[in-house]
Amino acid sequence: MKALILVGGFGTRLRPLTLSVPKPLVDFANKPMILHQIEALKEVGVTEVVLAINYQPEVMLNFLKDFESKLGITITCSQETEPLGTAGPLALARDKLADGSGEPFFVLNSDVISEYPFAELIQFHKSHGGEATIMVTKVDEPSKYGVVVTEKETGKVERFVEKPKVFVGNKINAGIYLLNPSVLDRIELKPTSIEKEVFPRIAADNALFAMVLPGFWMDIGQPRDYITGLRLYLDSLRKKAPARLASGTHVLGNVLVHETATIGEGCLIGPDVAVGPGCVVEAGVRLSRCTVMRGARVKKHACISGSIVGWHSTVGKWARVENMTILGEDVHVCDEVYSNGGVVLPHKEIKSSILKPEIVM
C-alpha cells in the first residue's frame, strides 16, 4: 500500500520553530511529527510514502533518508511549483499513487496527531465498498469547523456543512483518508480543495463513507494546540504503553524523558512534559505542560510551564518561562529573567524580562 502526506507550506503558525526546520520535522513527544505518522503507516503494511511539499524538499528528504533504511520504507517527494490546495497534490503524485494494483491509498494531513487506527480504517473501507473513507472526530464546538453529516447506521456521508449556525452534528473531518485509485480520476491538476470540491462530489454519488476516529485527535499546527496535543498523546501513552513514561518521586503525572537526557536532584517534572534527547535539566527545576527539545539546558531552579523550549536553547538559573513562551533554536534566556508569552526567534539572547506576550526579533 501507499500513502500521501500533505506537508504543504511554510508552517507560519509554528514559527519560530519552523524557521529552523520544515514543520513536519518539528519534534513532538521527542520525535519529528511526521515520524509518528510514517511509523503507524509502516505497521499496517504501507511500503511507500509520498510527501506532497512545496518548500525545502531537500531538507525533508535528507532528514528522512536515515529513516528509510531504519523503517524499511520508501519515502519520496512530490514537489509543487505553485500551491495546489489539498486535492491538487494528489493529481500531481498520480503516477506514484496509482500503480495499477487497485489497492486504496492513504492521504494524511501532516499536522494531525492521533492514535492512527489504520488497520480498522482499512477494514471499514473494504466492508462498505465505497470509493473513499474519511475519518471524522467528535468535537465540542462544531460551529468552528466544517461538519460531516452522516447516516447513523452505515456511516455514509450525506453532506458537508461549513461552520454551521444551527446544530447539524458534531463530527468533523479529521484529515485522514483512505481512497480508491478511481478518486484520482475526479481531480484535475490545478489548485483544488479535497474537502470542498472533491468529497462533496463523491458523497453525491453515495460513495463516500465516514468512520469515527477512536481515541484522541489534535491538529498541532499551532503552539496552544501543540501543548494540548502533547497532553492527549501522553494520556494515550499512559493507557497503551505506560512503561515508556518516566516514573519516580520527581515525576508528577505523565512525563516522557528521553534516555539520553539527565535530570538533576530535587526537580519536579510534570504533568504533561516531554524532555528530549541530550537535554540537561539541572537541580531544583520545575517543569509542567511543556516541551524541552533536543540539546536544551535548563539551569538550576528555573521554572517552565505551558511553553516550548527549542533545540539547543538555555534557560538560566531562577528564570521563569511561562504562558506560551516559545523559544526558537539556540535561544539563551539569562539568569533570573521572566518570560510571559515571549516568542523568541532563533539565536537570540534574552537579558531582560518579557512582561507581556510579544515577538522578540
Side-chain angles (χ1 to χ4, degrees):
M1 287 182 84
K2 298 187 176 182
L4 180 82
I5 300 180
L6 297 167
V7 172
F10 297 103
T12 50
R13 295 177 307 160
L14 263 190
R15 281 181 185 162
L17 301 168
T18 47
L19 296 174
S20 299
V21 295
K23 183 169 56 178
L25 300 186
V26 170
D27 296 347
F28 176 82
N30 295 350
K31 61 183 166 196
M33 283 185 199
I34 201 164
L35 264 197
H36 291 274
Q37 297 183 329
I38 293 173
E39 287 172 359
L41 288 165
K42 164 79 179 144
E43 265 179 44
V44 292
V46 169
T47 52
E48 187 175 340
V49 174
V50 182
L51 308 176
I53 192 165
N54 61 21
Y55 130 97
Q56 288 190 329
E58 49 294 319
V59 180
M60 287 283 289
L61 277 180
N62 289 342
F63 179 85
L64 291 166
K65 279 287 167 252
D66 300 345
F67 290 99
E68 269 198 328
S69 47
K70 272 184 206 159
L71 292 168
I73 193 166
T74 309
I75 301 170
T76 57
C77 267
S78 169
Q79 191 184 5
E80 27 186 289
T81 47
E82 54 162 347
L84 290 171
T86 49
L90 277 75
L92 188 65
R94 185 193 176 106
D95 296 344
K96 296 184 187 220
L97 296 171
D99 55 1
S101 69
E103 280 292 318
F105 59 89
F106 290 97
V107 177
L108 278 71
N109 284 348
S110 69
D111 297 356
V112 166
I113 196 90
S114 77
E115 287 172 4
Y116 307 123
F118 294 146
E120 294 93 317
L121 177 57
I122 294 169
Q123 206 176 346
F124 177 74
H125 182 77
K126 294 197 164 152
S127 72
H128 65 62
E131 203 173 344
T133 305
I134 63 177
M135 291 212 114
V136 292
T137 185
K138 293 179 175 174
V139 292
D140 296 335
E141 280 185 68
S143 61
K144 295 196 300 196
Y145 303 92
V147 172
V148 183
V149 183
T150 60
E151 256 181 27
K152 206 168 179 183
E153 278 68 49
T154 60
K156 189 167 82 181
V157 176
E158 293 173 344
R159 62 199 165 102
F160 296 87
V161 185
E162 196 54 45
K163 297 188 174 150
K165 296 279 181 286
V166 295
F167 185 85
V168 290
N170 64 347
K171 298 189 194 79
I172 66 162
N173 178 343
I176 298 171
Y177 320 128
L178 189 55
L179 312 177
N180 286 352
S182 58
V183 171
L184 295 167
D185 300 332
R186 298 174 175 266
I187 304 170
E188 292 176 58
L189 184 53
K190 61 174 194 200
T192 319
S193 161
I194 198 163
E195 300 86 358
K196 294 189 171 77
E197 298 172 66
V198 180
F199 287 155
R201 291 204 293 268
I202 303 175
D205 293 343
N206 294 318
L208 181 65
F209 290 78
M211 172 181 157
V212 178
L213 181 75
F216 76 99
W217 174 88
M218 200 72 214
D219 176 331
I220 55 173
Q222 53 192 351
R224 199 166 291 280
D225 296 337
Y226 175 105
I227 295 283
T228 303
L230 182 62
R231 174 174 61 79
L232 298 171
Y233 175 84
L234 295 176
D235 272 350
S236 155
L237 212 52
R238 169 71 64 199
K239 296 186 190 98
K240 296 198 156 184
R244 286 178 51 200
L245 294 171
S247 57
T249 51
H250 64 293
V251 172
L252 196 64
N254 298 333
V255 173
L256 193 61
V257 177
H258 194 269
E259 65 222 16
T260 58
T262 58
I263 308 281
E265 290 290 305
C267 291
L268 188 56
I269 314 276
D272 308 321
V273 171
V275 179
C279 289
V280 176
V281 177
E282 294 183 4
V285 164
R286 177 75 181 101
L287 302 178
S288 65
R289 303 187 325 283
C290 65
T291 287
V292 182
M293 292 187 183
R294 185 182 62 250
R297 183 176 207 103
V298 183
K299 294 190 177 173
K300 290 176 184 172
H301 307 293
C303 177
I304 303 174
S305 70
S307 297
I308 301 172
V309 176
W311 310 272
H312 307 290
S313 289
T314 309
V315 175
K317 293 175 190 170
W318 299 102
R320 189 175 181 94
V321 170
E322 62 187 27
N323 189 25
M324 279 300 139
T325 290
I326 306 184
L327 306 181
E329 181 181 19
D330 180 42
V331 166
H332 302 283
V333 175
C334 293
D335 294 354
E336 298 182 40
V337 163
Y338 171 55
S339 171
N340 173 21
V343 172
V344 187
L345 273 66
H347 315 299
K348 285 293 290 183
E349 185 174 31
I350 303 297
K351 292 177 178 160
S352 57
S353 290
I354 301 167
L355 300 177
K356 61 179 200 302
E358 62 176 318
I359 294 169
V360 180
M361 312 276 287

